[in-house]
């Protein structure tokens, strides 16, 4: 599809100087998780898509809203199902790996590995078809890879509350343009 554009995003992304190659186990687990995420997105499996959101991010949203994380998850699943009723997602692809990994230690002492995976997909709904590109922030915590789509400053700020290292990231902007 438009993989050269995704490759360009990798160059523009300018990952931090402390980036490192993912270990073979990390890379395989991330590739598998990204593939499952893409399949769930295109198959309209709202529970699986929402299930990839890092629990820490859900807890930040829950704390801000003054409700339980379980309620946030239920609400997100319901909203995602509604969007998926009228929107068809196709052609989900990511920039080819290997992706660079980064290590971070959270304030509570939890060690995480993270990577940025440029992704793109076509969304069709309401008689319109758009090509969307956005960075997918992948975070490995507790042996599982989670994802946060970063589609603007507000999303970056929310994720930054859960993962402070995100605050200094310079990510490429999310874009949406008409598709043929």
């Amino acid at each position: 599809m438009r993989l050269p554009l995704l490759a360009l995003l990798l160059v523009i992304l300018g990952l931090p100087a402390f980036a490192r190659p993912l270990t073979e186990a990390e890379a395989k687990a991330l590739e598998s998780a990204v593939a499952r995420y893409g399949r769930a997105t295109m198959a309209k499996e709202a529970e699986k898509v929402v299930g990839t959101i890092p629990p820490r991010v859900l807890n930040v949203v829950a704390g801000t809203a003054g409700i339980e994380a379980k309620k946030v998850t239920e609400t997100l699943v319901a909203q995602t199902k509604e969007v998926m009723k009228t929107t068809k997602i196709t052609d989900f692809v990511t920039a080819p790996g290997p992706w660079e990994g980064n290590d971070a230690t959270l304030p509570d002492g939890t060690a995480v590995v993270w990577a940025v995976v440029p992704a793109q997909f076509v969304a069709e709904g309401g008689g319109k078809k758009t090509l969307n590109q956005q960075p997918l922030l992948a975070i490995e915590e507790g042996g599982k890879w989670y994802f946060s789509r970063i589609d603007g400053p507000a999303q970056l700020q929310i994720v930054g509350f859960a993962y402070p290292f995100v605050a200094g990231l310079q990510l490429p902007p999310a874009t949406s343009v008409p598709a043929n």
Side-chain angles (χ1 to χ4, degrees):
M1 174 142 187
R2 294 187 177 166
L3 288 180
L5 185 55
L6 285 174
L8 177 62
L9 282 176
L10 283 174
V11 173
I12 294 171
L13 185 59
L15 290 176
F18 50 88
R20 62 166 174 82
L22 292 173
T23 67
E24 185 176 338
E26 289 168 341
K28 284 182 180 180
L30 178 54
E31 287 171 15
S32 178
V34 166
R36 281 191 310 274
Y37 177 81
R39 284 190 304 271
T41 300
M42 290 188 294
K44 299 184 176 197
E45 296 173 329
E47 293 86 358
K48 288 182 180 179
V49 171
V50 172
T52 67
I53 298 172
R56 288 179 189 264
V57 172
L58 294 171
N59 289 335
V60 165
V61 174
T64 302
I67 59 176
E68 294 180 20
K70 181 179 178 182
K71 182 65 177 168
V72 170
T73 300
E74 291 169 356
T75 302
L76 287 173
V77 167
Q79 290 174 344
T80 301
K81 282 182 179 180
E82 283 302 310
V83 169
M84 289 179 161
K85 284 181 184 178
T86 59
T87 304
K88 179 180 179 182
I89 303 292
T90 59
D91 301 323
F92 178 91
V93 295
T94 61
W99 300 296
E100 292 290 308
N102 299 273
D103 298 295
T105 302
L106 303 178
D108 67 2
T110 301
V112 298
V113 176
W114 62 274
V116 177
V117 180
Q120 74 178 27
F121 58 91
V122 174
E124 187 173 357
K128 296 180 181 178
K129 197 174 192 180
T130 59
L131 174 64
N132 300 274
Q133 297 176 341
Q134 56 189 214
L136 189 61
L137 180 64
I139 300 172
E140 187 277 332
E141 184 174 354
K144 182 177 177 184
W145 283 99
Y146 297 96
F147 302 108
S148 282
R149 291 181 315 161
I150 307 295
D151 56 8
Q155 182 68 19
L156 189 63
Q157 183 179 24
I158 290 168
V159 175
F161 287 134
Y163 298 98
F165 62 84
V166 170
L169 291 182
Q170 296 294 318
L171 299 175
T175 62
S176 181
V177 297
N180 300 339

Coordinates of all heavy atoms in Angstrom, one line a residue, residues 106-170:
L106 N 8.7 3.8 35.8 CA 7.6 4.7 36.2 C 7.9 5.1 37.7 O 8.7 4.5 38.4 CB 6.3 3.9 36.1 CG 6.0 3.5 34.6 CD1 4.7 2.7 34.6 CD2 6.0 4.6 33.7
P107 N 7.2 6.1 38.1 CA 7.4 6.6 39.5 C 7.2 5.6 40.6 O 7.9 5.6 41.6 CB 6.4 7.8 39.6 CG 6.2 8.3 38.2 CD 6.3 7.1 37.3
D108 N 6.4 4.6 40.3 CA 6.2 3.5 41.3 C 7.2 2.4 41.2 O 7.1 1.4 41.9 CB 4.7 2.9 41.2 CG 4.5 2.2 39.9 OD1 5.4 2.0 39.1 OD2 3.4 1.7 39.7
G109 N 8.2 2.6 40.3 CA 9.3 1.6 40.2 C 9.0 0.5 39.1 O 9.9 -0.3 38.8
T110 N 7.9 0.6 38.4 CA 7.6 -0.4 37.4 C 8.4 -0.1 36.2 O 8.4 1.0 35.7 CB 6.1 -0.3 37.0 OG1 5.3 -0.6 38.2 CG2 5.7 -1.3 35.9
A111 N 9.0 -1.1 35.7 CA 9.8 -1.0 34.4 C 8.9 -1.3 33.2 O 8.2 -2.3 33.3 CB 11.0 -2.0 34.5
V112 N 9.0 -0.5 32.2 CA 8.2 -0.7 31.0 C 9.1 -0.6 29.8 O 10.2 0.0 29.9 CB 7.0 0.2 30.8 CG1 6.0 0.1 32.0 CG2 7.5 1.7 30.7
V113 N 8.7 -1.2 28.7 CA 9.4 -1.1 27.4 C 8.3 -0.4 26.5 O 7.2 -0.8 26.6 CB 9.8 -2.4 26.8 CG1 10.4 -2.2 25.4 CG2 10.8 -3.1 27.8
W114 N 8.8 0.5 25.7 CA 7.8 1.2 24.8 C 8.4 1.4 23.4 O 9.6 1.4 23.3 CB 7.3 2.5 25.4 CG 8.3 3.5 25.6 CD1 9.1 3.7 26.7 CD2 8.7 4.6 24.7 NE1 9.9 4.8 26.6 CE2 9.7 5.3 25.4 CE3 8.2 5.0 23.5 CZ2 10.3 6.4 24.8 CZ3 8.8 6.1 22.9 CH2 9.8 6.8 23.6
A115 N 7.5 1.5 22.5 CA 7.9 1.7 21.1 C 6.8 2.5 20.4 O 5.7 2.5 20.9 CB 8.1 0.4 20.4
V116 N 7.2 3.2 19.3 CA 6.2 3.9 18.5 C 6.1 3.1 17.2 O 7.1 2.9 16.5 CB 6.6 5.4 18.3 CG1 5.6 6.1 17.4 CG2 6.7 6.1 19.6
V117 N 4.9 2.8 16.9 CA 4.6 2.0 15.7 C 3.7 2.9 14.8 O 2.5 3.0 15.0 CB 3.9 0.7 16.0 CG1 3.6 -0.1 14.7 CG2 4.7 -0.2 17.0
P118 N 4.3 3.5 13.7 CA 3.4 4.3 12.8 C 2.4 3.3 12.1 O 2.8 2.3 11.6 CB 4.4 4.8 11.8 CG 5.7 4.8 12.5 CD 5.7 3.6 13.4
A119 N 1.2 3.7 12.2 CA 0.1 2.9 11.6 C -0.8 3.8 10.7 O -0.8 5.0 10.8 CB -0.8 2.3 12.7
Q120 N -1.4 3.1 9.7 CA -2.4 3.7 8.9 C -3.5 2.8 8.6 O -3.3 1.5 8.6 CB -1.8 4.3 7.6 CG -1.4 3.3 6.6 CD -0.8 3.9 5.3 OE1 -0.3 5.0 5.4 NE2 -1.0 3.3 4.2
F121 N -4.7 3.3 8.3 CA -5.8 2.5 7.9 C -6.8 3.4 7.1 O -6.7 4.6 7.1 CB -6.5 2.0 9.2 CG -7.0 3.1 10.1 CD1 -8.2 3.7 10.1 CD2 -6.1 3.5 11.1 CE1 -8.6 4.7 10.9 CE2 -6.5 4.5 12.0 CZ -7.7 5.1 11.9
V122 N -7.7 2.7 6.4 CA -8.7 3.4 5.7 C -10.0 3.3 6.5 O -10.4 2.2 6.9 CB -8.9 2.8 4.3 CG1 -10.1 3.5 3.6 CG2 -7.6 3.1 3.5
A123 N -10.7 4.4 6.7 CA -12.0 4.4 7.4 C -13.1 4.8 6.4 O -12.9 5.8 5.7 CB -12.0 5.3 8.6
E124 N -14.2 4.1 6.4 CA -15.3 4.4 5.5 C -16.6 4.5 6.3 O -16.9 3.6 7.0 CB -15.4 3.4 4.4 CG -16.4 3.7 3.3 CD -16.3 2.7 2.1 OE1 -15.5 1.8 2.2 OE2 -17.2 2.9 1.2
G125 N -17.2 5.7 6.2 CA -18.5 5.8 6.9 C -19.2 7.1 6.4 O -18.5 8.1 6.0
G126 N -20.5 7.1 6.5 CA -21.2 8.3 6.1 C -21.0 8.7 4.6 O -21.0 9.9 4.3
G127 N -20.6 7.7 3.8 CA -20.4 8.1 2.4 C -19.0 8.6 2.1 O -18.7 9.0 1.0
K128 N -18.2 8.7 3.1 CA -16.8 9.2 3.0 C -15.8 8.1 3.3 O -16.0 7.3 4.1 CB -16.6 10.4 3.9 CG -17.5 11.6 3.5 CD -17.2 12.8 4.5 CE -18.2 13.9 4.1 NZ -18.0 15.0 5.0
K129 N -14.7 8.3 2.6 CA -13.6 7.3 2.8 C -12.3 8.1 3.1 O -12.0 9.0 2.3 CB -13.4 6.5 1.5 CG -12.6 5.2 1.7 CD -12.7 4.4 0.3 CE -12.2 3.0 0.5 NZ -12.2 2.3 -0.7
T130 N -11.6 7.8 4.2 CA -10.4 8.6 4.5 C -9.2 7.6 4.8 O -9.4 6.5 5.3 CB -10.6 9.4 5.8 OG1 -11.0 8.6 6.9 CG2 -11.7 10.5 5.6
L131 N -8.1 8.1 4.5 CA -6.8 7.5 4.8 C -6.3 8.1 6.1 O -6.1 9.4 6.1 CB -5.8 7.6 3.7 CG -4.4 7.0 4.0 CD1 -4.5 5.5 4.2 CD2 -3.4 7.4 2.9
N132 N -6.1 7.4 7.1 CA -5.7 7.9 8.4 C -4.4 7.4 8.8 O -4.1 6.2 8.7 CB -6.7 7.5 9.5 CG -8.1 8.0 9.2 OD1 -8.5 9.1 9.5 ND2 -8.9 7.2 8.5
Q133 N -3.5 8.3 9.3 CA -2.2 7.9 9.7 C -2.1 8.4 11.2 O -2.4 9.6 11.4 CB -1.1 8.4 8.8 CG -1.2 7.9 7.5 CD -0.2 8.5 6.5 OE1 0.4 9.6 6.8 NE2 0.1 7.8 5.4
Q134 N -1.6 7.6 12.0 CA -1.4 8.0 13.4 C -0.4 7.1 14.1 O -0.3 5.9 13.8 CB -2.7 8.1 14.2 CG -3.5 6.9 14.3 CD -4.8 7.2 14.9 OE1 -5.3 6.3 15.5 NE2 -5.4 8.3 14.7
P135 N 0.4 7.7 15.0 CA 1.3 6.8 15.7 C 0.6 6.0 16.7 O -0.4 6.4 17.4 CB 2.3 7.8 16.4 CG 1.4 9.1 16.5 CD 0.5 9.1 15.3
L136 N 1.0 4.7 16.9 CA 0.5 3.8 17.8 C 1.5 3.6 18.9 O 2.6 3.1 18.6 CB 0.1 2.5 17.1 CG -0.6 1.4 17.9 CD1 -2.0 1.9 18.3 CD2 -0.7 0.2 17.0
L137 N 1.3 4.1 20.1 CA 2.2 4.0 21.2 C 2.0 2.6 21.8 O 1.0 2.3 22.3 CB 2.0 5.1 22.3 CG 3.0 5.0 23.4 CD1 4.4 5.3 23.0 CD2 2.5 6.0 24.5
A138 N 3.1 1.8 21.7 CA 3.0 0.4 22.2 C 3.8 0.4 23.6 O 4.9 0.9 23.6 CB 3.6 -0.5 21.2
I139 N 3.2 -0.1 24.6 CA 3.8 -0.1 25.9 C 3.7 -1.6 26.4 O 2.6 -2.1 26.5 CB 3.1 0.8 26.9 CG1 3.2 2.3 26.4 CG2 3.7 0.7 28.3 CD1 2.4 3.3 27.2
E140 N 4.9 -2.1 26.8 CA 4.9 -3.5 27.3 C 5.0 -3.3 28.9 O 6.0 -2.7 29.4 CB 6.1 -4.3 26.8 CG 6.1 -5.7 27.2 CD 6.7 -6.0 28.6 OE1 7.6 -5.3 29.1 OE2 6.3 -7.0 29.2
E141 N 4.0 -3.8 29.5 CA 4.0 -3.7 31.0 C 3.4 -5.1 31.5 O 2.4 -5.5 31.1 CB 3.1 -2.6 31.4 CG 3.1 -2.4 32.9 CD 2.4 -1.1 33.4 OE1 1.9 -0.3 32.6 OE2 2.3 -1.0 34.6
G142 N 4.2 -5.6 32.4 CA 3.7 -6.9 33.0 C 3.6 -8.0 32.0 O 2.8 -8.9 32.1
G143 N 4.5 -8.0 31.0 CA 4.5 -9.1 30.1 C 3.5 -9.0 28.9 O 3.3 -9.9 28.2
K144 N 2.8 -7.9 28.8 CA 1.8 -7.7 27.8 C 1.9 -6.4 27.1 O 2.2 -5.4 27.8 CB 0.4 -7.8 28.4 CG -0.8 -7.6 27.4 CD -2.1 -7.8 28.0 CE -3.2 -7.6 26.9 NZ -4.5 -7.6 27.5
W145 N 1.8 -6.4 25.8 CA 1.8 -5.1 25.0 C 0.4 -4.5 25.0 O -0.6 -5.2 24.7 CB 2.3 -5.4 23.6 CG 3.8 -5.6 23.5 CD1 4.4 -6.8 23.4 CD2 4.8 -4.6 23.5 NE1 5.8 -6.6 23.4 CE2 6.0 -5.3 23.4 CE3 4.8 -3.2 23.5 CZ2 7.2 -4.6 23.3 CZ3 6.0 -2.6 23.5 CH2 7.2 -3.3 23.4
Y146 N 0.4 -3.2 25.3 CA -0.8 -2.4 25.2 C -0.6 -1.3 24.2 O 0.5 -1.0 23.8 CB -1.1 -1.8 26.6 CG -1.4 -2.8 27.6 CD1 -0.4 -3.2 28.5 CD2 -2.7 -3.3 27.8 CE1 -0.7 -4.1 29.5 CE2 -2.9 -4.2 28.8 CZ -1.9 -4.6 29.7 OH -2.2 -5.5 30.7
F147 N -1.7 -0.7 23.7 CA -1.6 0.3 22.7 C -2.5 1.6 23.0 O -3.6 1.4 23.6 CB -2.1 -0.2 21.3 CG -1.3 -1.4 20.9 CD1 -1.9 -2.6 20.9 CD2 0.0 -1.2 20.4 CE1 -1.2 -3.7 20.4 CE2 0.7 -2.3 20.0 CZ 0.1 -3.6 20.0
S148 N -1.9 2.7 22.7 CA -2.7 4.0 22.8 C -2.5 4.7 21.4 O -1.3 4.9 21.0 CB -2.2 4.9 23.9 OG -2.6 4.4 25.1
R149 N -3.6 4.9 20.8 CA -3.5 5.7 19.5 C -3.3 7.2 20.0 O -4.0 7.6 20.8 CB -4.7 5.6 18.7 CG -4.9 4.2 18.1 CD -6.1 4.1 17.3 NE -7.2 4.7 18.0 CZ -8.3 5.2 17.5 NH1 -8.6 5.1 16.2 NH2 -9.3 5.7 18.2
I150 N -2.3 7.8 19.4 CA -2.1 9.2 19.8 C -2.5 10.1 18.6 O -1.9 10.2 17.6 CB -0.6 9.5 20.1 CG1 -0.1 8.5 21.1 CG2 -0.4 10.9 20.5 CD1 -0.7 8.6 22.5
D151 N -3.7 10.7 18.8 CA -4.3 11.4 17.6 C -4.4 12.9 17.9 O -5.1 13.6 17.3 CB -5.7 10.9 17.2 CG -6.6 10.8 18.4 OD1 -6.4 11.4 19.5 OD2 -7.7 10.3 18.2
G152 N -3.6 13.4 18.9 CA -3.6 14.8 19.2 C -3.1 15.1 20.6 O -2.8 14.2 21.4
P153 N -2.9 16.4 20.9 CA -2.3 16.8 22.2 C -3.1 16.3 23.4 O -2.5 15.9 24.4 CB -2.3 18.3 22.1 CG -2.4 18.6 20.7 CD -3.1 17.5 20.0
A154 N -4.4 16.3 23.3 CA -5.2 15.9 24.5 C -4.9 14.4 24.8 O -4.8 14.0 26.0 CB -6.7 16.1 24.2
Q155 N -4.9 13.5 23.8 CA -4.6 12.1 24.0 C -3.2 11.9 24.5 O -3.0 11.1 25.4 CB -4.8 11.3 22.7 CG -4.6 9.8 22.8 CD -5.6 9.2 23.7 OE1 -6.7 9.7 23.8 NE2 -5.3 8.0 24.2
L156 N -2.3 12.7 24.0 CA -0.9 12.6 24.5 C -0.8 13.0 26.0 O -0.1 12.4 26.7 CB 0.0 13.5 23.6 CG 1.5 13.4 23.9 CD1 2.0 12.0 23.5 CD2 2.3 14.4 23.1
Q157 N -1.6 14.0 26.3 CA -1.6 14.5 27.7 C -2.2 13.4 28.7 O -1.6 13.1 29.7 CB -2.4 15.8 27.9 CG -2.3 16.3 29.3 CD -3.1 17.6 29.4 OE1 -4.0 17.9 28.6 NE2 -2.7 18.4 30.4
I158 N -3.3 12.8 28.3 CA -3.9 11.7 29.1 C -2.9 10.6 29.3 O -2.7 10.1 30.4 CB -5.2 11.2 28.5 CG1 -6.2 12.3 28.6 CG2 -5.7 10.0 29.1 CD1 -7.5 12.1 27.7
V159 N -2.3 10.1 28.2 CA -1.3 9.0 28.3 C -0.1 9.4 29.1 O 0.4 8.7 29.9 CB -0.9 8.5 26.9 CG1 0.2 7.5 27.0 CG2 -2.1 8.0 26.1
G160 N 0.3 10.7 29.0 CA 1.4 11.2 29.8 C 1.2 11.2 31.3 O 2.1 11.1 32.0
F161 N -0.1 11.4 31.7 CA -0.4 11.3 33.1 C -0.1 9.8 33.7 O 0.4 9.7 34.8 CB -1.8 11.6 33.5 CG -2.1 13.1 33.4 CD1 -3.3 13.5 32.7 CD2 -1.3 14.0 33.9 CE1 -3.6 14.8 32.6 CE2 -1.6 15.4 33.8 CZ -2.7 15.8 33.1
A162 N -0.4 8.8 32.8 CA -0.1 7.5 33.2 C 1.3 7.1 33.0 O 1.9 6.3 33.8 CB -1.0 6.5 32.4
Y163 N 2.0 7.6 32.0 CA 3.3 7.3 31.6 C 4.1 8.6 31.4 O 4.1 9.1 30.3 CB 3.4 6.4 30.3 CG 2.7 5.1 30.5 CD1 1.3 4.9 30.1 CD2 3.3 4.0 31.1 CE1 0.7 3.7 30.3 CE2 2.7 2.8 31.3 CZ 1.3 2.7 30.9 OH 0.7 1.5 31.1
P164 N 4.7 9.1 32.5 CA 5.3 10.5 32.4 C 6.4 10.6 31.3 O 6.5 11.7 30.8 CB 6.0 10.6 33.8 CG 5.1 9.8 34.7 CD 4.7 8.6 33.8
F165 N 7.0 9.6 30.9 CA 8.0 9.7 29.8 C 7.4 10.2 28.5 O 8.1 10.7 27.6 CB 8.8 8.4 29.6 CG 7.9 7.2 29.2 CD1 7.6 7.0 27.8 CD2 7.4 6.3 30.1 CE1 6.8 6.0 27.4 CE2 6.6 5.3 29.7 CZ 6.3 5.1 28.4
V166 N 6.1 10.0 28.3 CA 5.5 10.4 27.1 C 5.4 11.9 26.9 O 5.4 12.4 25.8 CB 4.0 9.8 27.1 CG1 3.2 10.4 26.0 CG2 4.0 8.3 27.0
A167 N 5.5 12.6 28.0 CA 5.4 14.1 28.0 C 6.4 14.7 27.0 O 6.1 15.7 26.4 CB 5.5 14.7 29.4
G168 N 7.6 14.2 26.9 CA 8.6 14.8 26.1 C 8.7 14.2 24.7 O 9.6 14.6 23.9
L169 N 7.8 13.3 24.3 CA 7.9 12.7 23.0 C 7.5 13.7 21.9 O 6.5 14.4 22.1 CB 7.0 11.5 22.9 CG 7.4 10.3 23.7 CD1 6.4 9.1 23.5 CD2 8.8 9.8 23.4
Q170 N 8.2 13.6 20.8 CA 7.8 14.4 19.6 C 7.3 13.4 18.6 O 8.0 12.7 17.9 CB 9.0 15.1 19.1 CG 9.5 16.2 20.0 CD 8.5 17.3 20.2 OE1 7.9 17.8 19.2 NE2 8.4 17.8 21.4

